[in-house]
Amino acid sequence: MTPRISWASKFYVCSGSTMACAAVVVPGFLRSSVGAICTQAASLRLMPSTLRHLTLASIMKSKKKTDHLERTANVVRREVVSAAKVCGAANESPSVKRLCLLVADKDFSFKAGQWIDFFIPGVSVVGGFSICSSPRLLEQERMIELAVKYTNHPPALWIHNQCTLDSEVAVRVGGEFFFDPEPSDVSRNLVLIAGGVGINPLLSILRHSADLHRERANKGSGYEIGTIKLFYSAKNTSELLFKKNILDLVNEFPEKIACSLHVTKQTTQISAELKPYITEGRITEKEIRDHISKETLFYICGPPPMTDFFSKQLENSHVPKEHICFEKWW
C-alpha cells in the first residue's frame, strides 16, 4: 500500500516578489531560548470574542485576487480555526524570522508539509505560511514553528515589524502537499528538492521522517522509512536556512539521511564544516535522475521555474505522476 500522500499542482500567490513560506525551527533552539516563555503561555487561551475578530474580520476584508484565501479557495482545509499565541521569535537570517506558536486547542492538527491560514488582528490580509516543525512537536508540546521571509506582503510585514511575544493570532490548516504514511504502508525512499524558501515544508517532511525512524528504532514497529536525500539550492550559504539543523539530522542518521547543499552566487569563503556538503552551481538533472527508482517519491518546492523544470524532467524520465508531488511558492 502506498503512503497516504496527495499530489498538488496548485500555486499560491501573494503580493510581493516572493511569498513568505515557513521553515523549520528546531525544538532544541526553542527549548533552550524560549522554553520558559512557552511553558508560561501554555496556560493562556484567547477569548472567543478575540478569535471571532481575528477570523471574521480578516475573511470579510480579504478580497484581492492575489490574496492567499482567494488563491487557495479550492484547496482542502480543516474546519477548525484555532487561537494561537506567539511564544518565541528569533532571526534565522537577515531576511527570515522564526516564530514559535502555542496552539492549546487539542482539535488542531496537521500533516507534515501542510500550511496554515494566518489571521492577524488589525491586518485585513490573511497570510499563508507552511508549518515547518514535525507533527510530533505539536503532539508533545502543543507548539508549531514557522519561519517567514521579509516581503511587502502585510502578514510578513506584521511578523517582522510588529509581532511580539504573546501576540494573539488565529490559525487554520490547509494544503494538499504532505507526507503522512500509515505504519503498514510500503517503505518508500524520499527525494526532497528545495529552492530558496521552498525548503520550508520539505523540512517538516524531513523532521517527520526522522521522528518515524526514531519511533521504529525504539519500539520495533511503525512505518519503515527508506532513504532520504535532500537537494537544497540557495544564492549563498547565508541564505541556506537551517543548515545546522539539516546537518544534525544527517549526522544522527547517516544510513538514512543525506543532503546536497547548492549555492549559485557564493562570494565568500565556505566554512570547513559546510564545505563537504556544498556544491557551487545549481542542482542538476543528472543528480536527480540518479535517484530514480520505483520505490522513490519526489517532493519539490521552490520558485515556479525550478519546480516546473524538475517535475517535467521526472515525467520525461518515466517517473509516475503519482510519485511526483510539488508545490510552487512565488
Side-chain angles (χ1 to χ4, degrees):
M1 184 176 179
T2 300
R4 286 193 302 157
I5 57 179
S6 179
W7 295 269
S9 60
K10 298 183 180 297
F11 56 93
Y12 317 117
V13 183
C14 288
S15 302
S17 59
T18 303
M19 181 171 180
C21 287
V24 167
V25 179
V26 169
F29 159 79
L30 293 163
R31 282 193 287 269
S32 63
S33 61
V34 298
I37 296 169
C38 291
T39 301
Q40 182 181 16
S43 62
L44 302 176
R45 284 180 175 270
L46 297 187
M47 296 299 291
S49 59
T50 303
L51 183 58
R52 284 196 297 272
H53 170 76
L54 292 175
T55 56
L56 294 178
S58 295
I59 289 172
M60 293 180 70
K61 293 178 183 178
S62 224
K63 294 181 179 179
K64 292 184 178 180
K65 290 186 177 180
T66 54
D67 169 71
H68 166 72
L69 289 184
E70 183 88 12
R71 288 291 181 179
T72 61
N74 296 323
V75 178
V76 174
R77 281 175 165 81
R78 290 178 58 88
E79 294 182 359
V80 176
V81 178
S82 302
K85 273 184 178 287
V86 175
C87 64
N91 292 325
E92 170 62 20
S93 77
S95 63
V96 175
K97 190 169 185 177
R98 296 184 282 182
L99 286 185
C100 171
L101 298 178
L102 183 76
V103 188
D105 184 359
K106 295 297 179 64
D107 291 328
F108 179 89
S109 65
F110 74 98
K111 299 172 183 178
Q114 289 186 303
W115 41 255
I116 55 170
D117 297 329
F118 194 80
F119 302 95
I120 306 165
V123 178
S124 62
V125 180
V126 177
F129 305 114
S130 296
I131 301 171
C132 304
S133 49
S134 169
R136 188 67 50 86
L137 181 64
L138 179 65
E139 293 168 6
Q140 295 178 344
E141 303 185 37
R142 300 312 307 167
M143 290 190 293
I144 63 173
E145 297 159 352
L146 314 173
V148 178
K149 187 177 178 65
Y150 182 89
T151 69
N152 290 325
H153 190 237
L157 286 175
W158 181 87
I159 287 169
H160 278 262
N161 299 333
Q162 296 177 257
C163 174
T164 62
L165 292 178
D166 290 335
S167 287
E168 297 180 343
V169 296
V171 293
R172 177 176 58 194
V173 171
E176 300 163 344
F177 179 88
F178 57 81
F179 179 64
D180 183 41
E182 294 288 349
S184 60
D185 287 347
V186 66
S187 178
R188 294 288 190 184
N189 302 323
L190 301 182
V191 171
L192 312 177
I193 308 170
V197 292
I199 185 62
N200 305 331
L202 299 183
L203 272 170
S204 178
I205 292 173
L206 180 64
R207 292 187 60 78
H208 181 51
S209 299
D211 284 338
L212 292 174
H213 185 56
R214 291 188 191 100
E215 181 178 24
R216 184 174 176 86
N218 292 335
K219 297 182 179 179
S221 61
Y223 180 72
E224 182 178 3
I225 192 75
T227 60
I228 307 164
K229 181 63 181 276
L230 169 66
F231 293 93
Y232 178 20
S233 177
K235 183 171 65 174
N236 53 52
T237 53
S238 67
E239 297 294 333
L240 286 169
L241 304 179
F242 305 103
K243 44 194 172 286
K244 181 182 183 303
N245 306 351
I246 294 168
L247 296 186
D248 283 347
L249 288 176
V250 170
N251 292 327
E252 183 179 359
F253 303 114
E255 78 288 359
K256 286 286 184 182
I257 300 175
C259 72
S260 178
L261 307 178
H262 288 245
V263 291
T264 58
K265 296 181 180 179
Q266 185 73 20
T267 58
T268 59
Q269 186 172 356
I270 299 171
S271 69
E273 180 186 17
L274 278 178
K275 203 157 191 176
Y277 305 96
I278 295 289
T279 299
E280 297 200 45
R282 299 185 184 278
I283 303 167
T284 66
E285 176 189 350
K286 181 182 183 304
E287 288 177 284
I288 304 303
R289 193 168 58 241
D290 288 345
H291 289 79
I292 292 175
S293 74
K294 63 181 181 180
E295 297 85 15
T296 301
L297 304 177
F298 294 84
Y299 285 82
I300 313 167
C301 187
M306 186 207 80
T307 303
D308 289 341
F309 175 80
F310 285 115
S311 59
K312 186 66 175 177
Q313 292 302 320
L314 289 168
E315 287 184 32
N316 291 342
S317 297
H318 308 293
V319 176
K321 286 187 177 181
E322 61 269 22
H323 287 187
I324 306 168
C325 184
F326 62 88
E327 186 150 71
K328 299 177 184 180
W329 292 90
W330 290 71

